[in-house]
Amino acid sequence: MPTSSAANTPLSVPIQVRGACPHDCPDTCALLTTVDEHGVATRVQGNPAHPHTDGVLCAKVSKYTERSYHPERILTPLKRIGPKGQSGSGQFTPVSWDDALADIAQRLQTIAARASEAVLPYSYAGTMGMVQGESMDRRFFHKLGASQLDRTICASAGAEALVQTLGGKVGMKVEFFAEAQLILIWGSNSIGSNLHFWRYAQQAKRSGAKLVCIDPRKTETADKCQEHIALRPGTDTALAFALMHELITHDWLDHDYIAQHTVGWDALRERALQWPPERAAEVCGIPVEQIRQLAKDYGTTKPAAIRLNYGMQRVRGGGNAVRAVACLPALTGAWRHRAGGVLLSSSGQFPAQRAVLQRPDLMPAGKTPRTINMSTIGDDLLREASPAFGPKVEAIVVYNSNPVAVAPDSGKVVRGFAREDLFTVVLEHFQTDTADYADYILPATTQLEAWDIHLSYGHTDVLLNRPAIAPVGQARSNAQIFRDLAARMGFTEPCFADSDEALCRQAFGTAVDYALLESQGFATLAIPDAPFAEGNFPSPSGKCEFYSARLAAQGLDGLPDHLPNYELQGTDARYPLAMISPPARNFLNSTFVNVQSLRNIEGRPVLEIHPDDAEARGIANDAVVRVFNDRGSYECHATVSRRARPGVVNGLGIWWRKLGLNGTNVNEVTSQALTDLGRAPTFYDCLVEVEASTAQAAASVTA
Ligand SMILES: Nc1nc2c(c(=O)[nH]1)N[C@H]1C(S)=C(S)[C@@H](COP(=O)(O)OP(=O)(O)OC[C@H]3O[C@@H](n4cnc5c(=O)[nH]c(N)nc54)[C@H](O)[C@@H]3O)O[C@H]1N2
Ligand SMILES: Nc1nc2c(c(=O)[nH]1)N[C@H]1C(S)=C(S)[C@@H](COP(=O)(O)OP(=O)(O)OC[C@H]3O[C@@H](n4cnc5c(=O)[nH]c(N)nc54)[C@H](O)[C@@H]3O)O[C@H]1N2
Ligand code: SF4
Ligand SMILES: [Mo]
């Protein structure tokens, strides 16, 4: 089968078009889309030529044609004609692009003329593409002088922790995990959310490596590791300190590496010595022997690698936890080996030309618009104007995100979006929970239909995505929509005319070989195999900063420390259970929940609860339960299972509210409190109680 070099080149059919998976997933797979003689995509598969993808996609994206050609795709601009918050027939009516754009431009202009910061963009990583996610959109809002958005909802605590410790979002190269002899999979459900890393871990295991999973939940990944350490949520720093304690007392340290390439050892040493394994065992709720064994493994096995992921940073002390774990490889000198060290995110290694793409220089001279944290959108949409806050939010433009389903404390998020005086525009593929509150819904292209370019946070390749098919219906790419709006608003700077493909070329400038991207679909960055073998961290000191002078200068602790959860178990008798809400394997955040074949696999929204906790509450397997705290309540089905540790319940996410039970989901009970570093949400720092439901919710299940 010939491989097309350009989507529109008439080759013999079927053709295959190279692309990139757009989803918020560390794997950033290379795609091959097969297109038939009618221009219809018939199959999406992994590109076998791309080493990390290796021809394999997850179940979700293997169904990509089902999503792109879904009968419920939004195919025309829609205008609200009924009440907010409902998507039933008669609430929206199709309108022309011209009418929609003209009205939206006029309304944004009127609001911005009074107070440009009353307009708020709201976007995250529905697509990770740099063109459809952070180019023309940013130019548009910069020029308008709109409020800026602090994009914290996922990874900013861990990111800030890496920056303060290693100097950037840098780490091991993922392929070398295959050569490690010990792998700690720490706060990551790799099989569910980082499948292509798991392939390397499996290779290591076959070569005799020990795999240890550190996770409160007994995940499918934990099942496949030799050891599972089921600590309480929010106690990772205590465990890391106990490991350091043992490394010190058994002298499993690389003194030379510490002396040459770290800052703050004496102070860290002193703090770690306050954490004998017995103390940590108490805090973490795990056997002391497990900690001793883990320390011995980590201190004596070479090379030892840590796959850290974001699960541990969704609690109050999440930033400190990532800092503490990121210190470990410098203590043992694990960085000396290419299969040693830690990987949380590789995204800081890419030479992205963000200022060129986003053009912050377009902002009105003299005043930097305020910044609103996307994680507190519930509170911020409900805030009145004040000197501290600035103007009330009067217009919100949502794209690449579904905040009504995914943002914490949904009760407030829903009330905010329901405001009659809020003008809401949503760029979407589907009628999501958020789109239900839109005044206008604009149909966006999917990854099969638009140009884009991608970096990755789980490997070090750049990928180019060519459109494989023409836009479905009247869909336009996000960049095209903002280009069109810019023209209607009279923005005349030449950068507003850049095409999507031109934006692809601008993303990395000459730092990445674009011709190679065009010919093979991906280009690998030139990075040393063991980048920190001789120090050379991108931090201010060039060293691994146990002690961060920059944090100290902000009045914060310069060293990592254990910060107990805000909602600490045992402190509120009404809510004795800690709840975490990690992703369901067959959804990607709230994306794919409306794809029937994937929803069939997940079945229905579930809460995993340990048999002891279920029995104490008279909850039977499969029963409908009510999960509640002071913020709200939601209903789902109990899965009585030892995947949950005693005292901790797992509310698997993130269902569309309207496809769940009683129009609710897990974020009804999560809080808007923010992490220690990075201003991130604390989804997994949440106390609840669970009871058998009296309502006949089962009837409303959409299987
Ligand atoms: N299939 C699938 N894949 C995904 C996603 C998805 O929704 N579905 N989402 C994507 C996105 S946006 C992201 S950010 C990543 C998320 O993936 P990860 O970065 O792996 O983060 P989480 O899934 O939040 O949590 C990972 C694991 O951490 C555990 N955990 C929870 N609290 C703690 C804690 O306090 N300490 C420790 N040690 N572990 C804890 C959870 O039980 C979970 O198994 O995955 C991406 N990939
Ligand atoms: N309780 C709980 N809540 C969580 C989490 C959790 O673990 N527990 N995880 C959090 C995390 S890690 C994250 S990253 C956030 C994710 O939150 P979001 O970034 O909002 O992710 P999604 O829910 O996948 O919604 C993305 C939306 O973008 C749309 N989209 C995709 N591509 C395009 C495009 O090209 N153009 C336009 N206009 N739209 C597009 C999709 O249709 C989808 O509806 O959720 C957070 N919420
Ligand atoms: S979601 Fe992740 S694993 Fe699945 S195809 Fe996309 S990048 Fe690959
Ligand atoms: Mo995320």
Side-chain angles (χ1 to χ4, degrees), residues 24 60 154 192-193 215 234 236 309-310 314 583 585 587 589 684:
D24 188 352
K60 305 176 287 293
C154 168
S193 51
D215 192 318
D236 299 275
N309 230 322
Y310 290 105
R314 308 195 199 287
R585 180 171 176 180
F587 302 149
N589 302 320
Y684 302 172

Side-chain angles (χ1 to χ4, degrees), residues 106-128:
Q106 194 258 320
R107 296 198 53 178
L108 292 181
Q109 232 153 8
T110 307
I111 294 169
R114 279 198 306 275
S116 63
E117 292 170 309
V119 178
L120 177 69
Y122 195 98
S123 74
Y124 201 64
T127 167
M128 297 276 291

Side-chain angles (χ1 to χ4, degrees), residues 127-387:
T127 167
M128 297 276 291
M130 297 176 75
V131 172
Q132 308 308 341
E134 46 178 318
S135 66
M136 201 55 78
D137 53 317
R138 310 296 172 98
R139 292 178 184 183
F140 177 83
F141 291 110
H142 286 152
K143 172 74 184 167
L144 188 62
S147 285
Q148 305 196 72
L149 185 72
D150 198 4
R151 292 179 169 80
T152 55
I153 201 144
C154 168
S156 60
E160 177 69 6
L162 284 188
V163 167
Q164 296 297 344
T165 312
L166 307 178
K169 290 188 265 179
V170 298
M172 283 177 63
K173 291 171 100 170
V174 67
E175 54 270 38
F176 296 132
F177 276 87
E179 298 170 9
Q181 278 301 300
L182 174 72
I183 304 180
L184 310 189
I185 299 178
W186 201 330
S188 167
N189 179 6
S190 313
I191 295 179
S193 51
N194 191 187
L195 192 62
H196 295 78
F197 155 77
W198 180 249
R199 195 169 59 90
Y200 295 123
Q202 288 293 95
Q203 283 172 26
K205 194 177 172 195
R206 282 196 293 274
S207 312
K210 180 169 180 181
L211 271 45
V212 181
C213 179
I214 306 173
D215 192 318
R217 178 172 183 243
K218 189 169 184 299
T219 59
E220 56 267 56
T221 307
D223 290 341
K224 298 256 162 58
C225 292
Q226 288 98 326
E227 181 87 21
H228 174 215
I229 301 183
L231 78 186
R232 291 197 182 98
T235 62
D236 299 275
T237 308
L239 178 59
F241 276 145
L243 297 185
M244 292 181 200
H245 181 280
E246 294 299 278
L247 297 178
I248 295 164
T249 55
H250 293 88
D251 197 20
W252 291 319
L253 299 168
D254 184 332
H255 294 280
D256 183 54
Y257 195 93
I258 293 172
Q260 303 281 332
H261 307 307
T262 72
V263 176
W265 170 232
D266 289 343
L268 181 68
R269 183 175 185 280
E270 198 179 313
R271 191 164 284 179
L273 286 174
Q274 294 164 22
W275 284 91
E278 292 75 11
R279 181 180 173 200
E282 189 77 23
V283 170
C284 301
I286 53 178
V288 67
E289 277 318 313
Q290 225 175 9
I291 300 180
R292 291 216 177 86
Q293 183 61 46
L294 179 65
K296 183 173 182 196
D297 288 341
Y298 192 68
T300 61
T301 313
K302 294 196 185 329
I306 303 176
R307 184 58 168 112
L308 192 62
N309 230 322
Y310 290 105
M312 74 165 66
Q313 49 108 64
R314 308 195 199 287
V315 293
R316 175 191 173 210
N320 272 271
V322 171
R323 252 170 77 54
V325 176
C327 290
L328 290 169
L331 294 182
T332 59
W335 289 116
R336 291 186 190 276
H337 197 290
R338 69 181 191 177
V342 57
L343 175 63
L344 171 59
S345 170
S346 56
S347 66
Q349 283 156 308
F350 290 82
Q353 312 283 311
R354 288 218 157 77
V356 174
L357 274 187
Q358 305 184 5
R359 298 292 304 272
D361 57 297
L362 293 166
M363 276 193 276
K367 180 171 178 273
T368 305
R370 69 161 169 210
T371 298
I372 288 184
N373 187 338
M374 70 187 304
S375 301
T376 53
I377 190 66
D379 279 343
D380 290 336
L381 283 182
L382 295 172
R383 251 185 250 287
E384 295 297 328
S386 74

